[in-house]
């Protein structure tokens, strides 16, 4: 079992040594922890898929240490990409561009594009700098599980299959990066994140097409799959106004129910567990995956999540909540 180690200079040197040998290193980013391998080494990248249990046609994001490296990986870097990089990197934004021929198919899932990002975490940046090359890294969880936001979560998920876990403390953003696809005729938002659609549109000067509305996707993007990020306990997303009655019914059916609450409303007696979430969107996002994981680990019959606000600032949170839950109403009657 691999235990997390504090990401000091000696640990970073060890990480670089392992990456050069084609081994797997989990490391902190500002969004979630990543499971990293040398992006130029197809065999090393293959180990990521084996460790995660992830299908091989799902593409990975390549982490680089500055926008100056874009041309190492992308065949063509449009002006729009340079402007986004200038404004938001290092930071929680990934950009999809046409790939250069040498980028391994193992990284891109055989697609003609590559996802690139400069992470805004000092440990990730120092690691990239010492390593020199690109590090391919998906979130450091098993396929279809909740992304890790602490080194302990990584140990829980992948302790048996990762060679080193660098501990850089809890992730500040808490949900995965915003993904913008600039490889086609019009820019598209593939995954909402901390950097909002409006912030990106301001820099681009044009509207973003939304992936969900973009018609037939020819890309297998796990972030777009309905069952991604799910806890193993059935989770229900419930409007605030229905919380009391929903909980009352579930408890009356004898179910052991955990609540992830937003408002501090009056709650019916008999809840097995209650967790109160922060009121502000960024704080909520930071706490979200740990809250889901903690509640999931209690072995309850059901998790009820009170719907937080649905304004623009909450876009990423609501996207992840929808993917972690079944629609309200579908899980209540005696099933
Ligand atoms: O915040 C993040 O982006 C984290 C940290 C570790 O950097 N990484 C992350 O990776 O969330 P992952 O693999 O869990 O999600 C990456 C997403 C997937 O939905 C993948 O399909 C999409 O990026 N992606 C990567 N390359 C792509 C490409 N060439 N075309 C379309 N989607 C791509
Ligand atoms: Mg992931």
């Amino acid at each position: 079992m691999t235990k997390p180690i504090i990401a000091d200079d000696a640990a970073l040197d060890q990480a670089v040594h392992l990456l050069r040998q084609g081994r797997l290193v989990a490391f902190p980013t500002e969004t979630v922890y990543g499971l990293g391998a040398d992006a130029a080494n197809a065999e090393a990248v293959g180990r990521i898929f084996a460790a995660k249990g992830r299908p091989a046609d799902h593409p990975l994001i390549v982490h680089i240490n500055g926008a100056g490296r874009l041309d190492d990986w992308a065949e063509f870097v449009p002006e729009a990409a340079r402007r986004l990089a200038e404004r938001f990197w290092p930071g929680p934004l990934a950009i999809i561009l046409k790939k250069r021929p040498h980028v391994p198919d193992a990284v891109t899932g055989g697609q003609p594009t590559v996802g690139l990002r400069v992470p805004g975490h000092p440990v990730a940046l120092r690691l990239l700098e010492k390593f020199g090359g690109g590090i391919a890294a998906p979130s450091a969880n098993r396929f279809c599980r909740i992304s890790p936001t602490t080194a302990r979560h990584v140990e829980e998920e992948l302790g048996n299959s990762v060679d080193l876990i660098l501990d850089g403390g809890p992730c500040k953003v808490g949900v995965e990066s915003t993904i913008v696809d600039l490889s086609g005729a019009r820019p598209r938002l593939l995954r909402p994140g901390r950097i909002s659609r409006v912030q990106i549109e301001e820099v681009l000067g044009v509207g973003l097409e939304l992936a969900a509305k973009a018609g037939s996707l020819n890309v297998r993007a796990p972030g777009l799959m309905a069952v991604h990020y799910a806890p193993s306990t059935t989770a229900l997303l419930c409007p605030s106004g229905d919380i009391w009655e929903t909980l009352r019914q579930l408890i009356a059916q004898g179910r052991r129910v955990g609540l992830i609450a937003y408002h501090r409303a009056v709650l019916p007696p008999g809840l097995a567990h209650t967790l109160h979430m922060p009121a502000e969107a960024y704080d909520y996002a930071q706490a979200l995956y740990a809250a889901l994981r903690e509640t999931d680990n209690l072995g309850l019959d059901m998790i009820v999540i009170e719907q937080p606000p649905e304004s623009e600032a909450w876009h990423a949170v609501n996207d992840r909540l929808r993917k972690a839950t079944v629609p309200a109403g579908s899980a209540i009657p005696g099933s």
Side-chain angles (χ1 to χ4, degrees), residues 265-289:
V266 185
L267 299 169
L271 275 169
H273 189 73
T274 305
L275 204 76
H276 287 281
M277 296 297 283
E280 197 273 327
Y282 293 166
D283 298 336
Y284 189 112
Q286 185 186 7
L288 174 61
Y289 287 149

Side-chain angles (χ1 to χ4, degrees), residues 27 29-35 52 54 58-61 63 92 94 96-97 107-108 111-117 119 137-141 147 175-179 181 190-191 219-224 228-229:
F27 62 97
T29 81
E30 79 281 35
T31 58
V32 300
Y33 273 73
L35 177 63
K52 278 184 69 101
R54 176 164 167 162
H58 288 252
L60 306 176
I61 292 172
H63 297 71
I96 311 291
L97 297 172
V107 170
T108 65
Q111 297 179 55
T113 54
V114 61
L116 295 158
R117 153 167 140 79
S139 49
N141 50 280
S147 295
V175 292
E176 301 83 350
S177 59
T178 306
I179 305 181
D181 183 355
L190 295 189
R191 181 171 70 185
V219 165
R220 301 266 328 254
L224 299 174
H228 208 48
Y229 315 113

